Amino acid sequence: MTAISPAVDDSGSFRDDAKVISLIGVAHFFSHFYILLLPPLFPILKDFFGVSYVELGLFVMAFSGATGVSQIVCGYLVDRIGAKGILIGGLALEGLAFLLIGLTGSYWAILGLMVVAGIANGVYHPADYAILSASVSERRMGRAFSLHTFTGFFGGAVVPGTIILLASQLGWAAGVALCGAAGIAAAAALLVFGRSLKHEPGADKRRKAGAKADAGPTPTSVLLSPPILMCLVFFTLLALSQGGINQFLVSALNALYGTPVEEATVALTSYLFGTAGGILIGGQIADRTRHHNRVAATCFLFTAAAVLVVGSVALPLWLLVALMVGQGVAQGIIMPSRDMLVRSVTPPGAMGKVFGFVSTGFSIGGIVSPLLFGFLLDQGRPSVVFYVVAAFMAVSLVTVFTAVGERRRVEAA
């Protein structure tokens, strides 16, 4: 398998590229926005439905599981029929699912609709990356990937304040319904203004290039090739480490050091904003280096060390916040290099299916991390939460070099 990046017209104007990146950014914003929409409401929903937190956690698990399966299917569809319609349809369907969640009063109806929302959420990574790779000038690709990731993280960052404010003013159901309607409106905007979103199905590309239908590897062999499998492991480990911090930092600090929830929340918020800023920095770096594995590995080394410090020493708030900001920046820098690394090992015409496949690592992490880290906290081992996160980061460091090594070995074969 020769990993050749898809050919992109490098003469595109800044204005054209900015329009594509902006439209894709809107879609990715809602992807992360919807992923985190219900968890801030769990204390309210627990009393409203009279259920446990474990039962509410089924909402997240159902969503993540459905996304994991859907992403692989969407990846194949993107490469076969194109990405634009799939992206717009997925955004509209997910918005509709959350609109209906706000209109229903049944726990089981919400659980079913979370499956629908998860299926719709599977369109974003395959479609987004396929469109960006086909539409954006090569010289701006790293920044395009970084802005794409930034808009997603920004969507997740604004969720808690937005939905809690809406719930306090309108009630939780009306707030969720309004957020669902916003996604439908965004899908309509992409339909109207999305003429610049280009993506040619891989099969057509190969025909235009004069390649024989059976000249390239089969879809299954592409996904099961060592470099792609290693990227899947990379995404899974990254999701597990991020899940430990994003979901359990506040609880772990409170249990380990007695850190007040308000102060621990400041530390988490600082980390999230640091991550968003790091993503923008990482985009600039990604466009200026071909050694994306070295960038990611260096950042993993720093973040693993920082997590070990946080889990081993009680720090004053200012130092805790500074360390979490630094860790967030390093974590953010990884993201564009992560995407460029996957792109570098992906053969022509397979961008959708490969990103759909490796992105299932996020779903695997989303299913496993709440069970793993929740179990550690329930067992009274909050310090182990930090050690396990650091271990995942250390192993991730190994995978980024292994993926590139496997690519070179395959190319030389």
Side-chain angles (χ1 to χ4, degrees), residues 297-387:
T298 301
C299 292
F300 274 128
L301 185 62
F302 173 81
T303 54
V307 168
L308 287 176
V309 171
V310 173
S312 303
V313 182
L315 303 171
L317 179 60
W318 70 268
L319 185 55
L320 174 63
V321 168
L323 197 58
M324 293 308 299
V325 169
Q327 183 182 328
V329 171
Q331 192 80 355
I333 290 173
I334 292 170
M335 306 302 178
S337 290
R338 173 203 70 187
D339 298 335
M340 295 294 282
L341 179 64
V342 175
R343 188 170 183 263
S344 73
V345 301
T346 300
M351 190 65 63
K353 67 174 69 69
V354 167
F355 268 102
F357 179 68
V358 300
S359 294
T360 58
F362 291 146
S363 299
I364 296 171
I367 293 170
V368 174
S369 63
L371 301 176
L372 172 61
F373 295 112
F375 172 79
L376 291 174
L377 287 175
D378 287 340
Q379 296 300 308
R381 307 294 297 275
S383 62
V384 180
V385 170
F386 296 99
Y387 302 151

Side-chain angles (χ1 to χ4, degrees), residues 27 30 154 172 209 213 217 233 261 282 315:
F30 277 98
F154 184 72
W172 75 264
V233 175
V261 171
L315 303 171

Side-chain angles (χ1 to χ4, degrees), residues 22-32 87 91 94 124 128 148 151 186 190:
S22 298
L23 291 171
I24 294 300
V26 168
H28 201 219
F29 171 94
F30 277 98
S31 170
H32 284 243
L87 175 63
L91 176 56
E94 190 168 18
Y124 296 105
D128 288 358
H148 171 261
T151 55
L190 260 65

Side-chain angles (χ1 to χ4, degrees), residues 67-68 70-76 122 125-127 129 223 232 350-361:
T67 298
S70 172
Q71 279 182 145
I72 299 175
V73 176
C74 289
Y76 279 95
H125 282 151
Y129 286 117
L223 300 185
L232 173 64
M351 190 65 63
K353 67 174 69 69
V354 167
F355 268 102
F357 179 68
V358 300
S359 294
T360 58

